[in-house]
Every structure is written in structure tokens, then in C-alpha cells.
Amino acid sequence: MTGRHLWFDRGLKVPGGLFTTIAVCMVPLAIYGFQRMTGIWPNGDPGSYRNYHYLWVKAGWFYMELGTILAGMLALWWIRFPLLTLPIAYSLWYMSMDLTPLIFGKNEFAWNERCLVSFWFGIATIVIAFFIDRRIRRSQGDFAFWLYLSGLMAFWGGLTLRHSSSEWEQFLYFLINLFLILLSVLLRKRVFVIFGGMGVIVYVGHLAYTVFSNSLLFPIVLSFIGVFIIFAGIQYQKNYPNWQHWLHRILPESLLQILPKDI
């Protein structure tokens, strides 16, 4: 009610949007209180509310996450404030972890099963963020950023933390992260280069600690990798507009038409 008054009656968009965002952020606690009162828990009582943000990943939090997402979508339909996508994105990230016991129908599950759910849930969130980014002009507000971020956290986290014993899978991991860096230029979203860059560092670290682990060249290679990463970061920052122009020049017009627009 305070957010509505400030937004519509007083014309104070930022305070009104912040009050509405705070209200959405309180939804998980409200749902938790209702569930504690009624005893309605999916897959068992998850315990104290502080564990929702602090310690435990459990399917019992699912209704809280779903309710927050629905409340955030309702608030966005009412007030077009980009920060409202933050609690939605945060709940989607939590949901990507808490869905695992519900999907596999058990409380004990393998680590790779959790990573698999996180991986695909992250891809789905990134795709949703892309369509939102494409539908809403960025000049009207960046409504896709937090969804991109939560999707990348789920996708990249599941991809990175999965167990892999094959060098070919490790190399594929490296190529995927290079593709994320390319997407950062194509979509003009630098959050992609952060995760892609971290993935490249993880891969070259893997090479350094496996391929050169028993070699006298190990400290030299490790130093070279560090210098190369610094150099690549400088070049990326320096030539970012040029790479955007080059990609837009070589890509087909049909592909450029589906990319998000700034205005």
C-alpha cells in the first residue's frame, strides 16, 4: 500500500518501487509462517526459517520460492520496476537446488543429479531472460539482468561442480565458457564474460595442476597463464566496442534481428 501510494499518488518511482520490492522479499517469511501454522510441507518439515538462506537445501522450501515468484510477477504487472526481478531471480536460483529431491523422489541423491538439475534449470532461466530482454527495450529498464545472473549461477555452477574424469569433457567445458564470453559481446551483457572468464581460469588451472603437475615447467606455465589472463582482460575492456562492431558486421541479418534492442 505504501509502495502504491508513493508510485501512483506521489509520483515517487524509486521509493515506491523499493517499498514494493521489500514487500515481495517478505513473502517467503509470510508463507513459512502459514506453513508452520498449518503443517503443510512438501517432502517434510525443513526446520528453522534461518536455514532457508543459511544452511539447508531442502524440498520443503518449494512453496516459499513459488509464492515469491508469483508475488514478484504480480508486482511487476502492477509496477514496472526492474529491481522487482531480483527476488524472482533469487527464488529461481534457490528453486533450482530445492527441486532436486522433488524431481528424483528421494532425499538422498548423487551430487551429479543435483548438478544436472541446476544445469538445465539455469539454461531455462537464461532463455526466459533472453525473451524478456528481447521483448522489453533496455531504454525502458533492464528487466533481464537479475534473471541472467541467477540463470548463469545455476547453469555455470552445475556445469563446473559436476564430477568429470574425461579430458574431452574438460575441453568441452572450456569451449562452453569461451562461448559465454562471445555471448557477452553479442548480447551486450558483461555478466556473461564474468562467468565465462572464471570458467576459463578453472580450465587452465586444471591443465596446470594435471598436465604440468610433475614438471619443472609448472611455475613458469602458471605464471604465463596469469599474465595471459590479465592481458586478455585488458584487451577485452579496450576493444569491447570494436568486437561488437565486428560481430554485427559478420553475422547474418536474420540473427541480428532477434537480438535485444537498446531503444
Side-chain angles (χ1 to χ4, degrees):
M1 291 176 62
T2 303
R4 181 190 182 285
H5 172 70
L6 292 173
W7 183 279
F8 292 105
D9 299 337
R10 301 291 298 276
L12 300 174
K13 303 297 184 181
V14 174
L18 289 175
F19 267 96
T20 307
T21 304
I22 291 170
V24 173
C25 291
M26 294 170 65
V27 168
L29 183 57
I31 295 176
Y32 177 83
F34 177 79
Q35 290 182 277
R36 179 60 62 197
M37 180 177 62
T38 59
I40 300 175
W41 302 101
N43 214 34
D45 189 338
S48 172
Y49 177 77
R50 67 177 181 178
N51 293 331
Y52 178 59
H53 298 290
Y54 174 62
L55 185 60
W56 299 111
V57 175
K58 292 185 177 180
W61 309 120
F62 177 73
Y63 290 158
M64 297 160 59
E65 294 150 357
L66 181 62
T68 305
I69 293 169
L70 294 176
M73 293 173 63
L74 178 62
L76 272 173
W77 176 75
W78 181 41
I79 289 179
R80 293 298 183 94
F81 190 62
L83 190 63
L84 278 168
T85 59
L86 173 58
I88 297 175
Y90 207 72
S91 297
L92 283 171
W93 179 44
Y94 276 16
M95 186 182 289
S96 72
M97 297 179 284
D98 294 333
L99 270 178
T100 307
L102 293 178
I103 291 176
F104 290 98
K106 55 184 180 181
N107 290 324
E108 300 295 330
F109 41 83
W111 179 255
N112 274 1
E113 290 176 334
R114 183 180 294 280
C115 290
L116 186 65
V117 172
S118 181
F119 174 84
W120 287 111
F121 201 94
I123 289 179
T125 305
I126 292 171
V127 170
I128 292 171
F130 171 78
F131 282 109
I132 292 174
D133 198 15
R134 185 170 177 264
R135 183 176 179 83
I136 303 176
R137 306 279 178 164
R138 292 177 180 175
S139 59
Q140 300 174 4
D142 192 350
F143 289 86
F145 170 76
W146 293 107
L147 290 172
Y148 276 132
L149 179 60
S150 66
L152 281 167
M153 291 172 70
F155 163 76
W156 188 87
L159 184 68
T160 302
L161 297 177
R162 87 204 191 294
H163 296 300
S164 174
S165 57
S166 168
E167 282 300 324
W168 283 109
E169 289 185 8
Q170 294 287 350
F171 183 67
L172 178 61
Y173 170 80
F174 170 69
L175 293 180
I176 291 173
N177 282 280
L178 285 181
F179 180 68
L180 290 180
I181 296 175
L182 177 64
L183 275 180
S184 74
V185 180
L186 197 60
L187 298 176
R188 301 184 301 280
K189 286 291 183 183
R190 300 194 180 189
V191 65
F192 282 88
V193 79
I194 294 174
F195 286 90
M198 289 192 299
V200 170
I201 293 173
V202 169
Y203 178 73
V204 295
H206 161 73
L207 291 181
Y209 281 93
T210 54
V211 178
F212 297 99
S213 59
N214 297 317
S215 171
L216 293 175
L217 293 175
F218 174 75
I220 299 175
V221 171
L222 202 60
S223 299
F224 173 77
I225 290 172
V227 172
F228 173 76
I229 290 172
I230 294 173
F231 174 78
I234 293 173
Q235 292 302 312
Y236 177 88
Q237 178 70 22
K238 183 178 179 181
N239 298 304
Y240 182 80
N242 296 333
W243 290 350
Q244 273 191 328
H245 179 72
W246 177 74
L247 279 175
H248 282 71
R249 192 172 66 243
I250 66 171
L251 291 175
E253 187 65 26
S254 57
L255 177 60
L256 293 177
Q257 288 299 320
I258 68 173
L259 294 178
K261 302 294 190 300
D262 288 330
I263 57 175

